[in-house]
Amino acid sequence: MKTVICPGSFDPVTMGHLDIIRRSAKMFDKVLVVVMTNYHKRNTYVFSADERVDLLKRCTRDMENVEVEQYDGLLAEYARQKNAVAVVKGLRAVSDFEYEFQMALANKKLYEGAETIFLAAGAEHMYLSSSLVKQVAGFGGDISHFVPECLLERINERLCRTARS
Ligand code: ADP
């Protein structure tokens, strides 16, 4: 049984994240999507950790081998606890690479079993990020191509409200 981990902030989940999760679910027996706190972004989250978990659960409902959890500690420790064979990360561009490569090496140092697998972002998702979604929705723009359809109303409502306050 090969378990992998798809970690991230998912503030909020985008079509780019979902693509990485779906492709991982096709390749491995079990995918643990884990909502974590990125040290550099911790003061900028719009959605609470519980909300981010809930949004992810809704849009992965059709994927039987995907589970969503929240974890506040080190990713390497989580990988050890779950006996995961790898962490799967999406790479959008060269700009993602330096940070992701650093994290991959640090995780491996902290736990020898923590391998990292990079999946190239889908061409149609290369430009997509949670920050972009927040920015566009905040100005009243159309985010229907950026987030899963079943979450559109909820994400829009929250981001417009936050932008107004
Ligand atoms: P973090 O805040 O930890 O960087 P994110 O939620 O921004 O987490 O991203 C989580 C993971 O999803 C990262 O590996 C990131 O590279 C990947 N990712 C984000 N957006 C996309 C996208 N549009 N296409 C493919 N992978 C993506």
Side-chain angles (χ1 to χ4, degrees), residues 97-160:
F97 182 77
E98 198 173 337
Y99 175 74
E100 294 294 354
F101 195 60
Q102 185 186 28
M103 293 308 293
L105 293 178
N107 285 330
K108 184 95 173 125
K109 192 77 186 167
L110 291 165
Y111 168 48
E112 182 60 27
E115 297 291 351
T116 299
I117 295 173
F118 293 115
L119 293 185
E124 65 279 36
H125 303 124
M126 283 293 284
Y127 64 94
L128 196 48
S129 67
S130 298
S131 317
L132 179 84
V133 169
K134 285 183 268 198
Q135 200 169 353
V136 172
F139 286 110
D142 178 9
I143 56 166
S144 59
H145 292 105
F146 303 162
V147 300
E149 199 188 341
C150 61
L151 307 179
L152 179 61
E153 203 176 324
R154 198 162 150 209
I155 291 177
N156 237 332
E157 194 270 329
R158 167 53 92 85
L159 291 177
C160 292

Side-chain angles (χ1 to χ4, degrees), residues 6-12 14-17 19-20 23 36-38 41 45 88-92 96 99-100 118-122 125-130:
C6 288
S9 299
F10 306 106
D11 185 54
T14 69
M15 294 303 282
H17 293 130
D19 181 49
I20 298 293
R23 286 159 60 196
M36 305 196 75
T37 302
N38 181 324
K41 302 180 184 170
Y45 292 140
V88 180
K89 310 267 349 222
L91 272 191
R92 279 164 294 192
D96 273 347
Y99 175 74
E100 294 294 354
F118 293 115
L119 293 185
H125 303 124
M126 283 293 284
Y127 64 94
L128 196 48
S129 67
S130 298

